[in-house]
Amino acid sequence: MPPRPFVRSAPSKVDKRRRVDIRLTHMAAADALWWDARLGPKHASMASRADRYWSWSVLLPLCHLVQRAKRRYCRPLVIWARTDSGRFLRVGMLIVIEAYPYLDIEHPAESHFVWFMSAADAGVLTTEFGMSNPPALGRVLLDSAIVLSQNAGLAGRIGLHAASAGGDGLLALYDRLGLIRLPGTAALPASVRRPNDGRFFYADEPLAEALAAALDASR
Amino acid sequence: MSEFMRLDAKAPATLGAVVEAVTRLSTLGEAKILELVSAGKIAELFPFSTARRDQPIPSDTLAEEELVQASPAPLNRKERDALIESSLPASAPKKSRPRSASKR
């Protein structure tokens, strides 16, 4: 069976009837440098953003090397969207850990873990980069991880931790996106090495397939 | 850890310091690292020199045909190694590297 493709369009945040072309590339140092230089200073002033202090130029090699030390691999991706000029602009960043312990220990398995993900601020895209229709990226970011998990034979299972810097707003976002919140009383896989603070989310196989199928028309 | 061989020896992050930092960070869980990064504390734990000052910032936009689109399929070993290598800033050309202090 051919691998499920990534999505190629997403709804505009301004006008939900409009579709914005989306493309995905692997993230290299130059992408991280661009994000840090062009979007980082804008995001740093937004107190509600969990990623306001993230330096992708540091995160990118860090994630690769820390996971290699744990004998795992990362898949860092950049999401690009078509601007009014017809050219593509970086609008999202994502680092996924492959073959990570599945958070639901009642069903021991591997999953993909969404370690870091950011969507560029829509207002900045419009005012600074001439993008009249910035795309809604929450579902695209999660879908990318689900597709990688499915194509790797992990049935779409994914997990993530909502950074506490994102507050209740980030929890609400992952709820809205349809993820399952791991109960705060649930035990975590031993290798996760952290007490459960109630901010872990995951998608099991049926949920992952439902979320992916919902975007199949956009692939 | 051959990736480190491309680091500039004059950069703030020496090979030894980076290896030590990676070793220390690998004892932490991913959620803990996420929290440290989000609190703006990662520079204290991972003294990696990022871009050289003279490194040009890439252009804001690319044409569709310039994008090398990512495969949604699993990568092979060679592709994974290339991905790791691409995460490090390009080395400075030898002629533009500052001389080391010990040679002055």
Side-chain angles (χ1 to χ4, degrees), chain A residues 111-171:
Chain A
S111 68
H112 278 10
F113 188 81
V114 182
W115 200 359
F116 293 93
M117 66 175 169
S118 286
D121 179 76
V124 171
L125 292 178
T126 302
T127 58
E128 304 287 330
F129 297 96
M131 182 177 275
S132 303
N133 285 284
L137 289 177
R139 290 189 185 283
V140 174
L141 286 159
L142 290 181
D143 181 79
S144 304
I146 288 171
V147 164
L148 288 175
S149 170
Q150 288 183 328
N151 292 339
L154 301 182
R157 293 183 295 273
I158 62 166
L160 62 81
H161 179 260
S164 54
D168 290 342
L170 195 54
L171 299 177

Side-chain angles (χ1 to χ4, degrees), chain A residues 4-218:
Chain A
R4 187 174 228 149
F6 292 127
V7 297
R8 291 175 64 82
S9 70
S12 160
K13 289 191 88 163
V14 176
D15 177 357
K16 300 289 184 199
R17 293 167 302 176
R18 289 188 72 130
R19 306 291 302 179
V20 183
D21 285 341
I22 295 289
R23 301 291 182 266
L24 273 76
T25 64
H26 285 129
M27 189 193 305
D31 300 303
L33 170 63
W34 182 89
W35 192 279
D36 290 343
R38 302 288 282 137
L39 289 174
K42 311 286 183 194
H43 291 164
S45 63
M46 300 174 186
S48 63
R49 289 188 67 105
D51 62 351
R52 60 188 300 218
Y53 295 127
W54 296 4
S55 165
W56 287 90
S57 299
V58 173
L59 281 181
L60 181 58
L62 179 152
C63 290
H64 277 305
L65 297 172
V66 168
Q67 291 307 312
R68 284 310 296 136
K70 297 184 179 187
R71 301 184 184 280
R72 298 191 198 109
Y73 284 96
C74 287
R75 277 292 282 270
L77 296 169
V78 181
I79 297 175
W80 301 69
R82 198 185 290 277
T83 64
D84 297 3
S85 72
R87 292 167 65 86
F88 281 80
L89 177 75
R90 297 168 187 85
V91 295
M93 304 278 267
L94 173 73
I95 296 180
V96 176
I97 304 170
E98 299 178 342
Y100 191 83
Y102 185 40
L103 294 178
D104 179 5
I105 63 167
E106 299 296 319
H107 302 90
E110 290 185 327
S111 68
H112 278 10
F113 188 81
V114 182
W115 200 359
F116 293 93
M117 66 175 169
S118 286
D121 179 76
V124 171
L125 292 178
T126 302
T127 58
E128 304 287 330
F129 297 96
M131 182 177 275
S132 303
N133 285 284
L137 289 177
R139 290 189 185 283
V140 174
L141 286 159
L142 290 181
D143 181 79
S144 304
I146 288 171
V147 164
L148 288 175
S149 170
Q150 288 183 328
N151 292 339
L154 301 182
R157 293 183 295 273
I158 62 166
L160 62 81
H161 179 260
S164 54
D168 290 342
L170 195 54
L171 299 177
L173 172 66
Y174 293 136
D175 274 331
R176 277 201 305 277
L177 291 172
L179 293 178
I180 302 166
R181 189 168 175 182
L182 192 70
T185 54
L188 292 167
S191 61
V192 172
R193 297 178 186 166
R194 183 180 173 87
N196 184 352
D197 60 0
R199 298 182 68 90
F200 286 89
F201 288 81
Y202 68 102
D204 60 14
E205 295 89 334
L207 174 60
E209 177 54 31
L211 291 172
L215 298 186
D216 275 348
S218 307

